[in-house]
Amino acid sequence: MGRMKKIISIIMVLTIAVSMVFGLELNTAADETAVEATQEAVTETVETQQATQAPTVTTTEGEVEIEPDPDVSAGDCVYDNTKVGKVGKLMKNTKHSDQIQFYWNAVEGADGYRVYYKNNDKDDDYRYLTSTVGTKITVKGLPHTTPFQFKVAAFVIEDDVVYEGDAQVGKTATQPAKVGTPSLKKCSTSIKISWTKNDRADGYRIYRQDSSTKGKLVLYKTIKKNSTTTFEDKSVKKGKAYNYQVRAYRKMYEGKTYIGEGSTLRTVAGLCTPGLVKADSLLRKVSISWKKNAVAQGYDVYYKADDRSSFKLLTSTKGTSVVTGKLRAGHTYYFRVKPYKLVGAKKVKVYGTYLSFNRKATSKAFGKNVGDTYIEISIAKQHMWFYVDGKTYVSTPVVTGNVGAYATPTGAYKIFQKLSPATLTGPTWSSYVQYWMAFTTSGCGIHDASWRSASEFGGTTYMGNGSHGCVNTPTSAVKKIYKKVKTGTYVVVY
């Protein structure tokens, strides 16, 4: 144990001396990301800081305490292969884009090992890296997609002189960096993807998976220029799911090819951006509708309050329209409508290209300021709200006019007549109601409908069994509205 302390003390002093010559910075502070050590083997982590600064050697707690011996001189490193044997083959055991870890077998009689490195893209000669008593080293902070050579030589110390034996050289490289998940750039009868450029790569390999590849990504296309960062796949079938990966590659060392990792993009041919029909704002809400996509099984609608924050899911729908809740008047909101299809046994949502747009929320309705007390009716939701001084006073399902000739007209109106009770007559009907509030001169109003069951309100009743244009309302809700509402109150229908 005492001899080991002595050896490490000598190594530390030697490293300090070399640091002064080569501009290295030695740091013995505890660092959990550095290397674990035992008496038999020590692994060091060397930070090269993208190879723009001198390496920094860090060690972990638990190693033999290092106390420089003032009586030990670093001395010069003398080459003498008769004093110590040659290090065996260097073996790499990890694949990373920013670090290289390798190891070697111990040399009998060696007091330690000196490690050198060379960036083959820019270095003409080796640079000293570190000294270690272990046989395993991790070099971090390296540039990606880059060839390196490492040289390791065993040494012994006799009479304060360091004798270095024959060095073993190993060629390796950092893996090409990930190009990230490909982006879907085009969707029609083909699928077009794009990715980020890797400046050091020779090109890219595109892998594809579909129902014919038995669940495996297989090499589909090789692109031999790193400046090309898009690919259009025209050999796809509408409605069929495909997975893609793009991996950068570089040929190094007599044709050996290093291939990076990739992230998977899943999509469906023909699952394209839905066309926007309208995106209107009224009463601090945004009403959105879009064209149906034949491949889509549904749509996820996202929004965010500014262009710097992340999108949040607003709602999922199988329809082609949504209405937001109340937003901040005068503020611009950003929206995305993403069509999806459920794929596989697990019914995973797979998306295509999406619709993006923004709209400013306004408190007006059809160009009119309706104030804080008004009635709001959504035909799509078959729902009615009565707001008093900006607060919800009544919220109720309704049945509006039958789709077609009797559809309830949209717009901003005012209640001009209140009657209780009242008899409503038409060309072929006469109905007695308890509460009547007219808002159009053509005869549309809000009233109770005792002839309807509770299950008829809301939903899709209006699509075949709606009213003649009026807004049928449950008696308990319309009674409450009638007692509070005044003539002149706005009624907004959309």
Side-chain angles (χ1 to χ4, degrees):
M1 184 68 177
R3 183 175 182 274
M4 180 62 70
K5 288 185 178 181
K6 188 75 171 177
I7 291 172
I8 296 181
S9 297
I10 294 171
I11 294 171
M12 181 55 66
V13 172
L14 176 62
T15 307
I16 292 173
V18 177
S19 297
M20 295 174 65
V21 176
F22 289 90
L24 304 184
E25 177 185 356
L26 188 63
N27 178 12
T28 59
D31 183 351
E32 292 183 357
T33 65
V35 183
E36 300 177 356
T38 66
Q39 292 185 24
E40 292 75 23
V42 178
T43 303
E44 294 182 351
T45 297
V46 183
E47 302 285 352
T48 66
Q49 302 178 8
Q50 296 299 328
T52 60
Q53 302 178 20
T56 300
V57 180
T58 60
T59 60
T60 59
E61 291 181 334
E63 291 189 58
V64 179
E65 184 178 0
I66 298 175
E67 295 180 356
D69 188 338
D71 296 328
V72 177
S73 173
D76 295 325
C77 180
V78 178
Y79 169 73
D80 189 341
N81 62 4
T82 66
K83 297 285 188 180
V84 64
K86 183 178 180 180
V87 171
K89 183 179 179 182
L90 306 182
M91 293 162 282
K92 181 180 176 183
N93 60 358
T94 57
K95 291 184 178 181
H96 295 283
S97 62
D98 62 350
Q99 63 178 273
I100 294 173
Q101 184 181 87
F102 60 96
Y103 62 98
W104 57 92
N105 293 326
V107 176
E108 184 177 357
D111 291 329
Y113 307 89
R114 291 168 62 83
V115 182
Y116 306 83
Y117 78 109
K118 181 171 68 170
N119 180 330
N120 286 346
D121 277 346
K122 66 178 186 178
D123 294 336
D124 294 327
D125 204 353
Y126 287 95
R127 290 188 281 171
Y128 171 79
L129 186 62
T130 189
S131 294
T132 177
V133 297
T135 58
K136 183 178 181 181
I137 190 167
T138 300
V139 188
K140 292 186 176 180
L142 297 171
H144 63 81
T145 329
T146 302
F148 285 91
Q149 286 182 214
F150 289 92
K151 184 169 71 173
V152 180
F155 68 82
V156 294
I157 301 173
E158 294 181 1
D159 300 325
D160 297 342
V161 178
V162 179
Y163 295 93
E164 184 178 296
D166 288 333
Q168 180 65 264
V169 174
K171 295 180 179 180
T172 186
T174 51
Q175 297 297 117
K178 267 189 176 183
V179 296
T181 304
S183 300
L184 195 62
K185 290 298 182 184
K186 181 180 179 181
C187 178
S188 56
T189 55
S190 64
I191 295 174
K192 186 175 183 179
I193 60 176
S194 67
W195 55 90
T196 55
K197 181 181 178 181
N198 182 327
D199 288 330
R200 298 188 183 97
D202 289 333
Y204 310 92
R205 291 185 175 183
I206 298 174
Y207 297 78
R208 192 179 87 166
Q209 175 187 347
D210 56 40
S211 58
S212 67
T213 64
K214 299 180 180 179
K216 295 181 179 181
L217 284 162
V218 298
L219 181 61
Y220 186 64
K221 177 74 174 180
T222 298
I223 295 176
K224 297 182 179 180
K225 291 183 178 180
N226 76 347
S227 58
T228 300
T229 57
T230 61
F231 171 69
E232 185 171 1
D233 188 359
K234 297 181 179 180
S235 298
V236 294
K237 294 182 179 180
K238 187 175 182 180
K240 189 175 179 180
Y242 297 88
N243 293 346
Y244 295 91
Q245 262 192 21
V246 180
R247 304 174 190 170
Y249 74 87
R250 182 178 177 183
K251 292 182 178 180
M252 295 179 274
Y253 303 124
E254 293 79 36
K256 183 177 180 181
T257 301
Y258 286 75
I259 304 171
E261 296 181 350
S263 299
T264 301
L265 167 70
R266 306 187 70 180
T267 190
V268 174
L271 195 59
C272 305
T273 302
L276 182 65
V277 175
K278 68 174 182 178
D280 297 329
S281 177
L282 70 160
L283 305 177
R284 292 166 47 200
K285 298 181 179 181
V286 176
S287 176
I288 307 164
S289 61
W290 57 88
K291 294 180 180 179
K292 181 178 176 59
N293 178 282
V295 175
Q297 293 176 313
Y299 306 86
D300 283 348
V301 183
Y302 295 81
Y303 81 107
K304 62 180 181 179
D306 58 73
D307 59 0
R308 297 179 301 278
S309 58
S310 299
F311 279 96
K312 297 179 180 178
L313 181 66
L314 174 66
T315 188
S316 292
T317 178
K318 292 183 179 181
T320 56
S321 65
V322 297
V323 179
T324 70
K326 288 190 176 295
L327 305 172
R328 181 153 58 97
H331 192 77
T332 298
Y333 291 83
Y334 298 79
F335 298 90
R336 283 182 178 175
V337 181
K338 301 176 68 174
Y340 68 82
K341 183 177 180 180
L342 301 176
V343 175
K346 294 183 178 180
K347 302 297 182 183
V348 177
K349 278 185 179 180
V350 175
Y351 298 95
T353 53
Y354 52 80
L355 171 67
S356 294
F357 61 93
N358 62 75
R359 285 295 182 274
K360 182 182 290 187
T362 176
S363 58
K364 293 183 178 181
F366 298 98
K368 298 178 181 179
N369 290 310
V370 300
D372 294 327
T373 299
Y374 58 89
I375 294 172
E376 176 183 350
I377 301 168
S378 169
I379 294 176
K381 290 189 174 182
Q382 289 293 281
H383 205 89
M384 177 168 64
W385 299 265
F386 178 30
Y387 297 96
V388 177
D389 296 329
K391 296 182 180 180
T392 304
Y393 187 70
V394 174
S395 176
T396 179
V398 294
V399 177
T400 59
N402 202 61
V403 174
Y406 292 114
T408 304
T410 58
Y413 310 95
K414 289 183 178 180
I415 290 178
F416 64 86
Q417 183 184 51
K418 290 178 61 179
L419 294 173
S420 181
T423 300
L424 310 178
T425 59
T428 60
W429 70 86
S430 178
S431 302
Y432 175 84
V433 298
Q434 289 289 333
Y435 305 99
W436 164 252
M437 292 162 279
F439 61 81
T440 74
T441 56
S442 61
C444 295
I446 302 167
H447 62 80
D448 51 292
S450 58
W451 54 89
R452 292 196 182 275
S453 64
S455 63
E456 291 182 75
F457 293 102
T460 59
T461 303
Y462 76 110
M463 292 184 176
N465 188 27
S467 71
H468 293 96
C470 290
V471 182
N472 294 176
T473 311
T475 302
S476 59
V478 76
K479 178 180 179 181
K480 192 174 180 181
I481 295 172
Y482 186 88
K483 289 183 177 180
K484 188 75 172 179
V485 77
K486 299 177 180 178
T487 55
T489 298
Y490 269 103
V491 176
V492 179
V493 184
Y494 59 86

